[in-house]
Amino acid sequence: MKRTLFILTSTVLIMSLMLACKDRIETRQNADQAELENLYLEIEKLAKQFTCENASEWKYTAIGAKACGGAAGYIAYSIKIDESSFLKKVEQYTKLQADFNKKYGVFSDCALVIQPKSVTCDNGKPKFTY
């Protein structure tokens, strides 16, 4: 009887510890995901602060990291912004996303994201041409 009680108590304790650990990992993952999303929104805000009226004043860069390699996408930005600071934020985001992918074992579709040929302006917004 004592042995059965000991085994039952031990099992419950181990399961409780495993669930608590899983909850902490999920909480950390959610916090890391929120950090990535906030940084992306900041980058997007910087990129979209000017209206696209002249395509020659716009560039693009790769952003993000797919789990199996390569860029997650591309983002257009005006050359009127502080380009050096902007590209550093994009680089930071890309590194954080690559680290996130490794840390949490993220999977992706592994499809190649096609690099745009140029940026055009359409109703004040930058659009990629392929």
Side-chain angles (χ1 to χ4, degrees):
M1 178 71 173
K2 287 183 180 182
R3 181 179 161 101
T4 305
L5 185 59
F6 173 76
I7 292 172
L8 183 60
T9 303
S10 297
T11 303
V12 170
L13 179 62
I14 290 170
M15 290 178 67
S16 296
L17 290 172
M18 288 173 54
L19 289 173
C21 184
K22 183 181 178 205
D23 288 345
R24 282 196 302 275
I25 290 170
E26 287 178 359
T27 299
R28 185 69 233 159
Q29 185 175 359
N30 290 340
D32 289 348
Q33 181 70 38
E35 179 184 2
L36 275 171
E37 289 171 5
N38 288 335
L39 183 55
Y40 186 83
L41 290 173
E42 184 180 332
I43 290 167
E44 196 173 48
K45 184 178 178 182
L46 288 170
K48 292 182 176 182
Q49 65 182 313
F50 292 99
T51 303
C52 187
E53 296 172 359
N54 181 353
S56 67
E57 295 178 343
W58 287 78
K59 291 183 178 182
Y60 63 87
T61 189
I63 187 168
K66 285 196 160 199
C68 46
Y74 290 87
I75 188 166
Y77 63 93
S78 171
I79 61 172
K80 295 177 185 177
I81 65 173
D82 180 350
E83 190 172 2
S84 175
S85 175
F86 176 78
L87 292 175
K88 283 180 185 174
K89 280 192 185 297
V90 170
E91 185 179 329
Q92 176 189 10
Y93 174 82
T94 299
K95 182 182 179 333
L96 284 173
Q97 189 171 47
D99 292 347
F100 180 91
N101 292 344
K102 287 178 188 172
K103 183 176 182 179
Y104 298 108
V106 173
F107 293 95
S108 70
D109 60 12
C110 297
L112 292 175
V113 178
I114 298 172
Q115 180 175 340
K117 290 183 181 177
S118 63
V119 178
T120 60
C121 296
D122 184 18
N123 291 323
K125 296 182 180 178
K127 298 284 182 182
F128 293 129
T129 56
Y130 295 94

